[in-house]
Amino acid sequence: FFANEEGDLRRSDGTEAGTFALGDFHRIISVDPAGDQIMFRVLQEDNTEELWASNGTVAGTYRVTTIRTGADDLYSKVSAVMGDTYYFVANDGINGRELWKSNGTQAGTHMVVDFNTTDPAYEKNIRNFVVFGGALYVSALGNDGLYGLYRSEGSASGTQLIGHVPPIGYSVVVNNKLYLFTREGMGNNESTNVWITDGTPDGTQLVKELEAPFGEFSHVIVDDVLYFSTTKE
C-alpha cells in the first residue's frame, strides 16, 4: 500500500492487474497496517482530519470517523499499532492533541487518555510512540509541566508515568531494552542524550550525554549492539 503527494492511495501485489488505486484524497498523512486491514489518515482541504480504513479493495475502503478540525502539525503524524488496534494523535477540538485508538469502527474510536488537562485546546505535547513489552510507550507533557515517559495498555487507568524523561525524538528496541534519544536545550545549547528503560521506573536512566545536535537519525543493530548516527536538521 502506498500513497503519493497528490493523495492517491494505491495497492500492489506485484502484478500489473493487482496494482490499482483504492481512492483519491486531498492529502494522506499516514498509512499503517492494523490486523487484516490498513488505517490511514486524511487531511481535507478545510483542514478537517479523517480516519479511514481499507481491507485492500475499493468497496472495503471507508471513512471511520472525522476526528477534528485545525491546522496539521508534525506531532499529529505520530502513530503505532499494538495488536489489531491503531494508536494515533488526534484533536477533538476540546482536549487538544491526545492519545487516541481505533479498531476500525466509529464506536471503537476514542481518546485513551488526556496527559495534560491544563494545556489549551491545541497543545503540542506528544512526541513519540513505540510498542515494547506488550505496551505502548509515549513521550508526553504532563500536568506538572514536565515531559515524561508513559506506559499505556490502551486505557486511561492502564496508563502510568514511568519517569520524567525529556522530549523523546527516537526510540529503538534492542534485546529487551528500549533506547530513548531525547532532545534537550535550544539553539547552540541543543543536544541529544541517550536514555534506556526496561519499562519500570527503577530501570529508566540516563546512559550518556552526547555532544551532538538533535537531527536526522539512523541506526543498525548487530549482535544486540545498537550503532547509530545523528546529523543536524
Side-chain angles (χ1 to χ4, degrees):
F1 297 89
F2 56 98
N4 61 21
E5 293 183 355
E6 284 71 39
D8 292 328
L9 177 66
R10 299 176 180 272
R11 58 156 288 178
S12 177
D13 62 2
T15 67
E16 183 176 359
T19 303
F20 54 88
L22 294 173
D24 184 12
F25 307 91
H26 176 63
R27 179 184 172 193
I28 296 176
I29 299 175
S30 63
V31 180
D32 295 281
D36 57 358
Q37 62 182 350
I38 63 167
M39 307 287 290
F40 61 101
R41 287 147 68 195
V42 175
L43 188 68
Q44 300 290 17
E45 291 184 82
D46 62 357
N47 279 334
T48 299
E49 186 176 312
E50 300 174 344
L51 179 65
W52 286 65
S54 177
N55 63 3
T57 67
V58 175
T61 300
Y62 60 95
R63 184 178 65 85
V64 177
T65 188
T66 298
I67 299 296
R68 56 95 177 165
T69 58
D72 180 39
D73 69 73
L74 171 65
Y75 306 120
S76 70
K77 298 178 178 65
V78 180
S79 61
V81 175
M82 186 166 62
D84 293 341
T85 304
Y86 177 62
Y87 291 84
F88 60 106
V89 178
N91 188 343
D92 59 5
I94 300 173
N95 297 288
R97 292 179 174 89
E98 300 296 348
L99 173 63
W100 284 58
K101 71 177 184 179
S102 177
N103 62 2
T105 67
Q106 185 173 20
T109 302
H110 56 83
M111 187 176 73
V112 175
V113 62
D114 188 342
F115 289 108
N116 191 337
T117 58
T118 61
D119 263 11
Y122 294 98
E123 59 193 326
K124 301 178 181 180
N125 63 0
I126 299 178
R127 301 297 180 104
N128 187 264
F129 282 4
V130 62
V131 176
F132 169 65
L136 180 70
Y137 288 80
V138 181
S139 175
L141 187 69
N143 278 332
D144 55 7
L146 300 174
Y147 273 92
L149 176 66
Y150 291 83
R151 182 183 188 275
S152 180
E153 296 178 351
S155 66
S157 60
T159 302
Q160 60 178 330
L161 175 67
I162 299 300
H164 285 112
V165 178
I168 300 169
Y170 302 101
S171 51
V172 182
V173 178
V174 184
N175 195 23
N176 298 319
K177 297 285 186 179
L178 179 59
Y179 288 77
L180 310 169
F181 294 83
T182 63
R183 183 175 193 167
E184 302 183 46
M186 296 181 65
N188 294 331
N189 296 321
E190 186 179 83
S191 64
T192 303
N193 292 341
V194 184
W195 290 66
I196 195 170
T197 184
D198 61 2
T200 67
D202 291 340
T204 302
Q205 57 187 331
L206 175 66
V207 175
K208 187 175 180 61
E209 296 181 2
L210 303 179
E211 296 181 0
F214 189 91
E216 295 184 5
F217 178 84
S218 60
H219 77 278
V220 65
I221 302 170
V222 180
D223 294 331
D224 292 331
V225 176
L226 174 64
Y227 298 85
F228 63 92
S229 66
T230 180
T231 56
K232 188 174 182 179
E233 292 178 333

